[in-house]
Amino acid sequence: MSDKQTFSISELAKEFDVTTRSVRFYEDQGLLRPSRRGQTRIFSSKDRVRLKLILRGKRMGFSLAETKELFDLWDETLSGNEKQLLLMLETLARKRDQLEQQKNDIAQAEMEMETAEARCREALEELQKKKQQATA
Amino acid sequence: MSDKQTFSISELAKEFDVTTRSVRFYEDQGLLRPSRRGQTRIFSSKDRVRLKLILRGKRMGFSLAETKELFDLWDETLSGNEKQLLLMLETLARKRDQLEQQKNDIAQAEMEMETAEARCREALEELQKKKQQATA
DNA sequence: AAAATACTTTACGTTTACGTAAACTTTATC
DNA sequence: GATAAAGTTTACGTAAACGTAAAGTATTTT
């Protein structure tokens, strides 16, 4: 199934639950590079991986431009010149800091949500007591 | 320092490194509710907390509308009626699922960045070897 | 061969989250 | 009392990420 070689635009759109409009937009912005049979786009499994990365990036709050930068940088990195390799390492380090920040944010949010939930449950119990008193 | 009771718009903007424009915009959208002395906004420490939450929300990929919903919901929750309490609990549960998803995304991203970094380092070592061969 | 289906390009519209400028008031400083 | 500094409202502008037609092509199904 997933080791399929090529994909139509609607196959990808369906699989990842996005519109074809979005997929075409991502190509427009240089994030995907499908080949063509006539006019029709043919997406490779590499495109598929990239689409997955794009969407994960979005969920993590990355802009398309940021994601594109990473893609481009990685492509150049593969060309194997030293300067590009070092640049990539720097970029990776910065992104890691971002991820650390996000993990902190999430941890904080989780804690606050736990205390919020606890308060809700307490308040609910209070209400139950009053109900019982009313019936007594 | 931080137990100050009131804040001017520029104090808050400076502390959180945002523009006054943004702060006013957040008020416009109903996320902050400063009082006034004449025309001038006076922010409470509650507003300050909310601003912090807004910005963390943004880093986590939340829209202002989403954050506002949470604020409003929490305000109504405090009014203590049962329906609101249950609604809040539901909402908290959904948000938790979101956080789980984000944690997964981050974990994945971290793994991929590690392998990317490893590849870079390998490629660099290759280059070093070739350099040595060239000098030999 | 007619109709439905899937794809295409072009292009204007929309929402979010502000930026930026203009014109004005209030408060602090020299 | 002038002038700078910090605040205000009003309003138009903008970048990002698509939505939404319009109008056409290509293929498949009936």
Side-chain angles (χ1 to χ4, degrees):
Chain A
M1 284 285 187
S2 182
D3 53 353
K4 207 157 157 287
Q5 287 306 324
T6 68
F7 310 85
S8 77
I9 191 168
S10 48
E11 279 174 335
L12 282 188
K14 202 171 195 179
E15 176 174 2
F16 293 106
D17 195 32
V18 295
T19 64
T20 57
R21 176 67 176 93
S22 296
V23 176
R24 292 195 189 98
F25 184 73
Y26 300 152
E27 181 191 4
D28 242 55
Q29 303 300 303
L31 291 156
L32 301 175
R33 301 179 193 277
S35 55
R36 306 276 172 140
R37 194 183 59 193
Q39 285 192 308
T40 304
R41 273 163 262 251
I42 299 178
F43 295 87
S44 68
S45 49
K46 184 182 168 191
D47 287 314
R48 185 172 165 276
V49 168
R50 287 202 164 193
L51 181 51
K52 192 186 292 190
L53 292 175
I54 292 169
L55 298 177
R56 190 166 72 204
K58 290 198 66 180
R59 287 195 303 270
M60 294 170 53
F62 286 26
S63 71
L64 296 182
E66 277 176 300
T67 302
K68 177 181 159 54
E69 268 190 66
L70 279 176
F71 286 176
D72 291 352
L73 196 54
W74 185 244
D75 284 346
E76 288 170 18
T77 297
L78 292 181
S79 83
N81 114 42
E82 182 167 357
K83 205 175 168 186
Q84 294 298 339
L85 286 168
L86 292 174
L87 208 164
M88 189 62 181
L89 284 174
E90 272 182 50
T91 306
L92 285 174
R94 279 203 306 275
K95 290 288 168 187
R96 286 200 176 193
D97 289 348
Q98 264 191 53
L99 292 193
E100 276 309 307
Q101 168 72 5
Q102 290 206 27
K103 287 208 284 187
N104 287 337
D105 285 337
I106 288 178
Q108 274 286 325
E110 277 184 329
M111 287 175 49
E112 284 160 19
M113 285 172 61
E114 275 174 35
T115 76
E117 193 172 331
R119 281 200 198 179
C120 279
R121 296 203 185 286
E122 284 170 30
L124 271 176
E125 277 191 40
E126 280 300 312
L127 284 184
Q128 301 311 324
K129 277 185 192 171
K130 285 191 181 173
K131 270 192 187 174
Q132 284 197 336
Q133 283 185 338
T135 358
Chain B
M1 281 282 190
S2 182
D3 53 354
K4 207 157 156 287
Q5 287 306 323
T6 69
F7 309 85
S8 76
I9 191 168
S10 48
E11 279 174 335
L12 281 189
K14 202 172 195 177
E15 176 175 2
F16 293 105
D17 194 33
V18 295
T19 64
T20 58
R21 176 67 176 94
S22 296
V23 176
R24 291 195 190 97
F25 184 73
Y26 299 152
E27 182 193 3
D28 243 52
Q29 302 301 304
L31 291 156
L32 301 175
R33 301 178 192 277
S35 55
R36 306 276 172 139
R37 196 182 57 195
Q39 285 192 304
T40 304
R41 274 163 260 252
I42 299 179
F43 294 88
S44 68
S45 49
K46 184 184 167 189
D47 287 313
R48 185 173 164 276
V49 168
R50 288 201 163 193
L51 181 51
K52 190 185 292 186
L53 292 175
I54 292 168
L55 298 176
R56 191 166 72 203
K58 291 198 65 179
R59 287 195 303 271
M60 294 170 53
F62 286 27
S63 71
L64 296 183
E66 278 175 300
T67 302
K68 177 181 159 55
E69 266 190 69
L70 278 176
F71 285 176
D72 290 352
L73 196 53
W74 185 244
D75 284 347
E76 288 169 17
T77 298
L78 293 180
S79 82
N81 113 44
E82 182 168 354
K83 205 173 167 187
Q84 294 297 339
L85 286 169
L86 292 174
L87 209 164
M88 189 61 181
L89 285 174
E90 272 182 50
T91 306
L92 285 174
R94 279 202 307 275
K95 291 286 169 189
R96 286 202 173 190
D97 290 347
Q98 262 191 54
L99 291 193
E100 276 309 306
Q101 168 74 5
Q102 291 207 26
K103 287 208 283 188
N104 287 338
D105 286 337
I106 289 178
Q108 273 287 323
E110 277 184 330
M111 286 176 49
E112 283 160 18
M113 286 174 61
E114 275 174 37
T115 76
E117 193 172 331
R119 281 199 197 180
C120 280
R121 296 205 184 285
E122 284 169 32
L124 271 177
E125 276 190 44
E126 279 301 310
L127 284 184
Q128 300 312 322
K129 277 185 191 170
K130 285 191 182 173
K131 269 192 187 171
Q132 283 196 339
Q133 282 185 339
T135 1

